[in-house]
Amino acid sequence: VQLQASGGGLVQAGDSLGLSCAASGRTYAMGWFRQAPGKEREFVACIKMSGDYAYVAESVKGRFTISRENALNTAYLQMNNLKPEDTAVYYCAASPGWTHMLTAPGGYGYWGQGTLVTVSS
């Protein structure tokens, strides 16, 4: 499975931005992680492609929403009220089969190339 992420860019604080991640095949779940300079990769959100489970990290809850279009094997991350601390490279990931580790990088077998989100103050 190959993942193609898109939608990053430079925005101002308070703006909104949407990311998308298209998988080349069917997956069990997809997730978003981010990594800021000098920091470890951080979980952002995940969703089962069946649509019966989605979870967003506490650090972005209320501002970020994850969704999916199962027919397109695509997951989306809508980011609202962006803050400078949201600046990072955002990575999408996919799990080909069942896993209980949806909030950890180890739960995913496929990774996209990363897309940079920069939020200016």
Side-chain angles (χ1 to χ4, degrees):
V1 175
Q2 294 182 328
L3 304 179
Q4 181 65 48
S6 60
L10 172 63
V11 297
Q12 293 185 333
D15 285 350
S16 298
L17 195 64
L19 305 180
S20 64
C21 179
S24 61
R26 299 186 69 85
T27 62
Y28 170 77
M30 297 182 75
W32 289 96
F33 293 76
R34 66 184 182 185
Q35 189 165 18
K39 295 187 176 181
E40 294 185 353
R41 191 165 296 192
E42 174 190 20
F43 167 78
V44 177
C46 64
I47 190 166
K48 289 185 182 179
M49 298 307 283
S50 61
D52 60 356
Y53 178 80
Y55 180 71
V56 178
E58 290 297 322
S59 59
V60 300
K61 190 165 289 185
R63 299 189 297 120
F64 290 15
T65 303
I66 188 169
S67 61
R68 98 281 183 247
E69 177 56 64
N70 203 24
L72 298 178
N73 299 321
T74 300
Y76 305 95
L77 185 68
Q78 179 62 37
M79 305 181 292
N80 298 327
N81 190 22
L82 283 160
K83 303 176 180 180
E85 51 263 42
D86 295 318
T87 294
V89 176
Y90 284 70
Y91 297 91
C92 66
S95 175
W98 181 89
T99 177
H100 66 283
M101 297 172 58
L102 289 178
T103 62
Y108 298 87
Y110 303 104
W111 291 84
Q113 80 281 12
T115 184
L116 178 62
V117 173
T118 304
V119 185
S120 63
S121 57

